[in-house]
Amino acid sequence: MLAHSESIVRTWTGIFVMAAAVVLGGFSGVARAEEETAFVRVGVIGLDTSHAPAFAKLLNDENAADDLAGFRVVAANPKGSTNLQQSVERQPGYTEQFEEMGIAITGSIDELLEQVDVVLLLTNDGHPRLEQALKVLQAGKPLFMDKPAAASLTDLIAIYMAAEKYNVPLFTSSSLRYAENAGAIAAGEHGEVLGADTWSPASTEPTHPDLFWYMIHGVEPLFTVMGTGCVSVTRTHTEGQDVVVGVWDDGRIGTVRGMRSMSPGYGGTILTSEGTLDLGGYNGYRPLVVDIVRMFRSGEPSVSAEESIEIYAFMQAADVSKAEGGKPVSIASVMEKARARATARLAELDGE
């Protein structure tokens, strides 16, 4: 998987040097040019989300534990969205934070890619994601994409097609995949999962499919514990709430509830062969960042392409169901249409 990421391999000897230096208190701030091979250089695209400084602070912590040691954010390209007002407003402040952390601010993605080994794509707008990700994948840089991974299922599939073409490791995930008890439940430590009900806030953005924007934080843990295999989706929509019901190919049913009229936080109830369990709430960003680093180290994505694509197909199908008055919509139908468009879209952008 890392055939196009020789720069990461080049850094591993230096990582052990860096780790020893951290123990001795020898590193502070961004390393000088002559020390660049002492760690894997991380680049950030998109400084229009609070995730950007949160991730950078975890990775650039002088006292980082072994599961995060050896990686440092050294450069960022701030421009994410020119269309979303909240993104435009956030960029100057987060850019200033990165400058205060000693992280280089670049004028383009191409400039960024010359300075880094791996990339965090954090742009808060899903529309430019395909073109941004394509640059990274063509350069052979392992990539993590924050939510929303794209503004359409078509673009998401095109991104994964490009990752396969260029043989570059890639994954995307919400931080709610790492809810307090989700990992143990998914691993079968509490018996077979028979069904699940999750919930999250559900604010929407008119330029994106409804669930892509925020309700993904309820959908991601649903798939974390249920796994893939959803075949149909039905959505009930009111002004203040959404309830989306998925039927799996083995007859299990999973639901996700989104609330706009109040803030329910994040959580879920999981039904297993051994009883009913609490999913647990938000567990911070650190578990996600640890999994990102694990992928960068191993070249093996922490979440499969199959699962991430199905998550976004579930959310796309929910929009279709809403448009059709709450009728059930098959996952296969939205996938088929999106794959055909994705092939054409990637060929257009990739110069084929």
Side-chain angles (χ1 to χ4, degrees):
M1 291 291 289
L2 292 177
H4 294 276
S5 302
E6 293 87 350
S7 56
I8 292 183
V9 176
R10 169 178 59 80
T11 62
W12 281 118
T13 299
I15 285 175
F16 292 106
V17 175
M18 192 284 296
V22 168
V23 172
L24 297 174
F27 272 79
S28 61
V30 175
R32 297 185 300 276
E34 65 269 22
E35 296 170 333
E36 285 182 349
T37 57
F39 47 81
V40 174
R41 303 167 301 171
V42 181
V44 173
I45 299 173
L47 299 185
D48 56 354
T49 167
S50 60
H51 295 189
F55 288 12
K57 288 173 183 176
L58 284 167
L59 291 169
N60 290 16
D61 182 356
E62 296 177 15
N63 300 309
D66 290 346
D67 54 5
L68 291 180
F71 291 76
R72 293 186 70 82
V73 177
V74 300
N77 180 245
K79 189 173 183 180
S81 174
T82 58
N83 299 316
L84 297 182
Q85 188 59 35
Q86 61 178 281
S87 291
V88 173
E89 292 172 354
R90 288 170 175 172
Q91 286 170 27
Y94 291 137
T95 299
E96 183 177 352
Q97 286 187 37
F98 267 57
E99 289 174 330
E100 291 172 352
M101 294 171 67
I103 298 169
I105 303 300
T106 66
S108 69
I109 292 176
D110 289 338
E111 182 184 345
L112 174 86
L113 292 173
E114 293 176 355
Q115 302 179 31
V116 303
D117 305 305
V118 298
V119 175
L120 306 175
L121 178 47
L122 307 183
T123 304
N124 204 31
D125 184 351
H127 289 92
R129 288 294 190 93
L130 173 54
E131 294 188 33
Q132 292 172 325
L134 190 55
K135 285 180 176 288
V136 178
L137 298 172
Q138 288 171 333
K141 311 288 184 179
L143 175 64
F144 168 77
M145 299 192 303
D146 202 7
K147 67 87 190 169
S152 70
L153 178 60
T154 294
D155 279 6
L156 182 75
I157 292 174
I159 291 170
Y160 274 101
M161 285 179 171
E164 182 176 5
K165 175 181 178 179
Y166 292 106
N167 194 28
V168 178
L170 158 74
F171 95 99
T172 183
S173 178
S174 156
S175 58
L176 268 296
R177 173 172 289 274
Y178 307 91
E180 292 170 326
N181 301 318
I185 294 170
E189 294 180 15
H190 301 283
E192 179 186 358
V193 174
L194 305 177
D197 305 305
T198 62
W199 56 82
S200 75
S203 60
T204 59
E205 164 53 49
T207 61
H208 290 65
D210 288 351
L211 275 66
F212 282 32
W213 191 249
Y214 217 85
M215 205 167 152
I216 186 173
H217 291 317
V219 178
E220 188 92 38
L222 178 67
F223 274 80
T224 302
V225 298
M226 291 284 287
T228 57
C230 184
V231 294
S232 70
V233 174
T234 305
R235 176 178 175 184
T236 300
H237 170 80
T238 68
E239 183 177 350
Q241 298 187 31
D242 278 294
V243 175
V244 184
V245 180
V247 177
W248 266 248
D249 54 11
D250 56 6
R252 294 178 301 152
I253 296 173
T255 72
V256 56
R257 179 185 296 270
M259 303 284 287
R260 284 175 293 279
S261 56
M262 62 168 285
S263 179
Y266 310 94
T269 300
I270 316 302
L271 295 88
T272 79
S273 57
E274 295 183 0
T276 302
L277 301 170
D278 179 20
L279 175 69
Y282 171 61
N283 203 22
Y285 294 128
R286 193 179 191 282
L288 171 59
V289 177
V290 168
D291 236 11
I292 294 169
V293 165
R294 185 180 295 118
M295 181 197 70
F296 287 158
R297 284 177 169 151
S298 69
E300 294 298 325
S302 300
V303 183
S304 71
E306 176 191 11
E307 183 167 344
S308 291
I309 290 171
E310 190 171 309
I311 286 171
Y312 278 79
F314 177 99
M315 297 190 294
Q316 190 96 40
D319 258 20
V320 177
S321 178
K322 174 188 172 185
E324 295 183 356
K327 293 181 180 179
V329 174
S330 75
I331 293 286
S333 67
V334 297
M335 292 270 270
E336 182 179 0
K337 293 176 182 178
R339 285 191 185 281
R341 291 192 294 260
T343 300
R345 180 102 167 98
L346 182 59
E348 174 191 357
L349 291 175
D350 211 16
E352 295 181 349

